[in-house]
Amino acid sequence: MLHLNVNDEISRLKAVVLGTAENNGPVPKAEEAYDPKSLEHILAGTYPKESDMITEMNAFDAVLKKYGVSVFRPEVLKDCNQIFSRDIAFVIENKLVKANILPDREKEFEAIFHVLEYIDPQHILIPPEEVHVEGGDVMPWNDHIFMGTYTAADYPDQITARTNAQAVRFIKQQFPNKTVKAFELRKSKNARENALHLDCCFQPLGKGKAILHKNGFLVEAEYQWLVDFFGEENIFEITSDEMYHMFSNVFSISPDVVVSEQNFKRLNNWLREQGFTVEEIPYAEIAKQEGLLRCSTLPLIRE
């Protein structure tokens, strides 16, 4: 059995589902794009090649195994993008919550059934249909759960709006002992403005540090709440260009080990100055789909 345990973003990782880029399928048509950044690369003819993405994910897999993490992979589906396992489910405490995602992606969840059979069925939560939620918008942080959301009236028209007000209520009901703090995110068809998920503009780290991008938040007071929570001196504020390249979407294996993209020079230097071990890997091709290291992982057990 797998005894699920995730209470934060940084405790020593023991088991994780890492997505797969195998059999990713042909380059999507423009109208099939789920997010503005993928669309940009489809139109420019620079959409990532499957072989390059497999190489990048293999590098991530190798780093995880170097630290003794048990790595599960989804069953490979034909012509299906299964890179972003964070989108299909997430763990809080000892519960795995199935994400209610875009309907086309239901089969991605079925591709991890071989992992779910090791989990007590009572610990798997299936939200009701009206609850829209993806793992990129949900961050357990000790007594808190941080959630990205979008509650404006045009929610149904925003393909980049993935987590609704009903989801915030649902998480509050399921975890009554936690303080759920929701943040309104900026949604845009412009990839340089759009915060697809909370982890596109915010990431807590070990040592009391955090990465933030102010413009990802619609409400300045909510952004300020995070600045006050972590302390201004502990925050690495990223530019809109750095947000576009997914600088906040790094992944902590432990409180002092961070996996980061090798081109994130300014961030990686800062992390080392703060005393982190930075495991740099190539992930720039996968980033073209508006997702990076955190998006590719579904942590199951942290110590």
Side-chain angles (χ1 to χ4, degrees):
M1 287 299 282
L2 281 169
H3 298 289
L4 300 174
N5 185 50
V6 176
N7 287 295
D8 62 32
E9 292 286 308
I10 59 168
S11 293
R12 184 66 187 235
L13 185 70
K14 306 305 280 183
V16 69
V17 179
L18 176 66
T20 177
E22 288 182 41
N23 217 324
N24 205 252
V27 174
K29 298 185 183 73
E31 61 272 17
E32 293 169 341
Y34 290 135
D35 65 85
K37 196 167 177 187
S38 293
L39 177 62
E40 208 173 88
H41 287 287
I42 292 166
L43 296 175
T46 51
Y47 195 78
K49 294 185 179 67
E50 181 179 303
S51 56
D52 291 339
M53 295 193 291
I54 289 172
T55 300
E56 290 183 344
M57 296 205 84
N58 286 345
F60 198 0
D61 184 48
V63 170
L64 291 164
K65 286 178 173 153
K66 170 180 161 183
Y67 288 90
V69 179
S70 297
V71 181
F72 297 93
R73 307 299 291 268
E75 181 193 329
V76 176
L77 304 172
K78 186 172 171 4
D79 292 344
C80 180
N81 184 337
Q82 295 175 271
I83 293 168
F84 301 122
S85 55
R86 182 77 63 157
D87 288 353
I88 57 176
F90 52 90
V91 175
I92 299 175
E93 295 180 337
N94 62 351
K95 301 285 194 293
L96 180 134
V97 183
K98 177 186 184 289
N100 266 358
I101 42 175
L102 301 166
D104 311 357
R105 301 184 60 183
E106 193 64 35
K107 56 187 185 294
E108 285 181 63
F109 185 73
E110 292 166 13
I112 62 166
F113 279 177
H114 62 288
V115 181
L116 303 182
E117 63 190 28
Y118 292 106
I119 298 168
D120 180 342
Q122 291 179 308
H123 289 180
I124 298 176
L125 304 179
I126 312 282
E129 205 173 315
E130 67 275 10
V131 168
H132 298 180
V133 62
E134 289 186 351
D137 275 327
V138 183
M139 287 184 189
W141 192 249
N142 308 313
D143 301 337
H144 286 78
I145 300 170
F146 301 135
M147 290 185 70
T149 186
Y150 186 74
T151 60
D154 64 345
Y155 177 93
D157 308 323
Q158 294 278 4
I159 191 163
T160 58
R162 300 296 171 79
T163 298
N164 62 8
Q166 288 93 322
V168 177
R169 282 200 291 275
F170 175 78
I171 294 297
K172 282 180 176 170
Q173 287 160 356
Q174 297 300 323
F175 303 96
N177 57 329
K178 300 275 193 189
T179 300
V180 177
K181 178 74 182 158
F183 302 91
E184 293 281 337
L185 301 181
R186 186 175 305 283
K187 304 297 176 180
S188 172
K189 292 186 170 66
N190 172 354
R192 289 179 186 274
E193 295 256 312
N194 180 50
L196 187 65
H197 290 127
L198 182 60
D199 61 15
C200 296
C201 55
F202 165 58
Q203 178 67 33
L205 302 164
K207 307 179 192 292
K209 308 294 178 189
I211 302 169
L212 263 179
H213 177 60
K214 185 176 184 177
N215 194 49
F217 296 85
L218 272 180
V219 181
E220 186 165 346
E222 293 178 358
Y223 161 82
Q224 194 56 46
W225 187 93
L226 280 171
V227 173
D228 296 341
F229 185 89
F230 286 92
E232 201 162 339
E233 68 286 358
N234 293 311
I235 285 169
F236 185 87
E237 179 74 36
I238 58 177
T239 65
S240 58
D241 196 55
E242 289 170 338
M243 179 183 98
Y244 172 77
H245 289 293
M246 310 294 300
F247 269 53
S248 64
N249 206 266
V250 296
F251 183 72
S252 293
I253 292 180
S254 73
D256 48 10
V257 177
V258 178
V259 189
S260 181
E261 213 286 326
Q262 61 188 13
N263 296 304
F264 293 175
K265 295 295 181 230
R266 192 173 84 88
L267 172 66
N268 296 344
N269 290 340
W270 178 82
L271 288 168
R272 291 194 178 98
E273 283 163 15
Q274 309 303 316
F276 291 96
T277 298
V278 183
E279 292 284 353
E280 294 189 8
I281 60 170
Y283 230 65
E285 291 303 305
I286 285 171
K288 291 175 177 179
Q289 302 176 80
E290 207 155 343
L292 205 77
L293 298 154
R294 186 181 188 270
C295 298
S296 316
T297 57
L298 163 50
L300 301 170
I301 303 169
R302 287 187 183 271
E303 257 174 8

